Amino acid sequence: NAGVMQNPRHLVRRRGQEARLRCSPMKGHSHVYWYRQLPEEGLKFMVYLQKENIIDESGMPKERFSAEFPKEGPSILRIQQVVRGDSAAYFCASSPRGGGLEQFFGPGTRLTVL
Amino acid sequence: GQNIDQPTEMTATEGAIVQINCTYQTSGFNGLFWYQQHAGEAPTFLSYNVLDGLEEKGRFSSFLSRSKGYSYLLLKELQMKDSASYLCAVRENNNAGNMLTFGGGTRLMVKP
C-alpha cells in the first residue's frame, strides 16, 4: 500500500510565478490536510479538504493561495505570484476520516522562491 | 485557539533516557500526538494519548495529564538514530474537523 505521495519534491520558482503542489493520499483515504513548515519551525495547518469540498481553510492566507481536491486526481495546493516568504516545506497528510486516529504525512515539497 | 510549548533543543547521551515535555492550552481537547521528524523528511507518527496516563510502545512512552495540559515523550536506551525533531501536536474538536495544531518541535541531539 503506497503511502502519501507528493510531487514535486523540490520546486524552484522566481518571484511572481505560480507554484502547484500535488498530493495523492493513501489508498482509501478521502481526507487531506496541508501544512507549511518554515525553516526551524513547527508545522502550521493550512487547509483541510475532503473530495470536492474544502472543510476548513482557516490556516490559509486569504490571497494568492488556493487548494482543491477534485473527485478524480490528486489534491492541489496552488500559490499564485509567489514571494520569497513562501519558501518553505509544504507537507500533505491524509486520513481515512476526519477524526482519524492518525494522519499519515507525505515526504513534502520544498519550495524555494528566488 | 491553542498554545503549545515544548523546549527548542535538548541533548542527551547514547544509551541514556530523555524526557521531552509539552504543555498546551486548548478548548475541546481531543487527543495529543507525538511525531518524529528527521531533517528533510516527513513527520512519522510515534504515539497518541487521549486519556490520562502512560502509553508504552517499545523504547518510546508518552504520558498525558489533561487537567494539567501536559504531556511528555520518554525515550529510553537512546540510539544515535534518535537524533531528530520531536513534534507535539494537539487535536481539538471543532465543527470543521479534527486538524492538528503543532508545537514548534524539540530538536534532540544524541551524542556518543
Side-chain angles (χ1 to χ4, degrees), chain A residues 75-90:
Chain A
S75 175
I76 306 284
L77 179 67
R78 182 184 179 201
I79 311 172
Q80 296 177 290
Q81 299 171 353
V82 294
V83 301
R84 288 216 173 106
D86 297 332
S87 295
Y90 291 83

Side-chain angles (χ1 to χ4, degrees), chain A:
Chain A
N1 186 13
V4 179
M5 293 188 288
Q6 291 187 246
N7 68 83
R9 294 291 306 276
H10 300 275
L11 182 62
V12 179
R13 285 287 179 266
R14 296 190 180 280
R15 281 180 297 170
Q17 293 183 320
E18 178 180 287
R20 279 181 175 250
L21 288 62
R22 295 174 185 79
C23 169
S24 296
M26 286 183 70
K27 187 178 181 181
H29 288 192
S30 58
H31 298 252
V32 165
Y33 308 79
W34 284 94
Y35 294 85
R36 176 165 64 176
Q37 187 174 36
L38 295 171
E40 309 299 324
E41 294 188 11
L43 284 84
K44 303 293 185 190
F45 166 77
M46 298 181 73
V47 62
Y48 163 41
L49 310 104
Q50 295 178 23
K51 285 283 188 181
E52 300 184 280
N53 283 305
I54 296 175
I55 307 302
D56 186 341
E57 55 184 348
S58 59
M60 200 147 73
K62 295 291 186 286
E63 297 179 351
R64 302 188 298 108
F65 284 72
S66 62
E68 62 177 6
F69 189 15
K71 186 176 180 181
E72 301 291 338
S75 175
I76 306 284
L77 179 67
R78 182 184 179 201
I79 311 172
Q80 296 177 290
Q81 299 171 353
V82 294
V83 301
R84 288 216 173 106
D86 297 332
S87 295
Y90 291 83
F91 288 96
C92 167
S94 73
S95 70
R97 62 183 190 277
L101 180 64
E102 179 183 344
Q103 292 181 16
F104 295 83
F105 281 82
T109 293
R110 275 150 190 85
L111 172 65
T112 301
V113 180
L114 302 178

